[in-house]
Amino acid sequence: MTQTVSAAARVLRVLKALKGHTVTGLSNTELAQLTQDSPSNITRAMQTLIEEGMAVKLDNGRFAHSIGLLQIAQAHAEHMARLTHRMQEINQRIAAGSMN
């Protein structure tokens, strides 16, 4: 990489690079290519993500998001669905002229 990247930024870049590869995972080499970083830096970033429960090393040796991270994503989706439903209720009341 041409610029110095903090460890936190590197970890976040790796986490983002894993998007869409939850089942099949990505190899260290693929992550290095996607993030334009060295394999040794990717290894360190993955160690951090694994220690913090945000990623796993799959049986095939590739890396993927962890169930813990997917639970965070699911909780967000459910929260947004509840908010959307609530907003629809409010809009229906406003349209009916009976806001309470």
Side-chain angles (χ1 to χ4, degrees), residues 25-77:
L26 289 172
S27 69
N28 188 296
T29 301
E30 290 167 327
L31 286 166
Q33 290 169 348
L34 286 169
T35 59
Q36 298 179 344
D37 209 336
S38 71
S40 61
N41 284 338
I42 298 303
T43 298
R44 283 191 289 280
M46 288 310 307
Q47 287 172 337
T48 299
L49 287 167
I50 291 168
E51 287 170 10
E52 294 302 319
M54 297 292 108
V56 294
K57 189 169 188 176
L58 302 173
D59 292 339
N60 62 10
R62 297 162 73 85
F63 300 101
H65 293 126
S66 70
I67 295 298
L69 183 64
L70 299 175
Q71 288 171 330
I72 291 170
Q74 182 65 35
H76 169 74

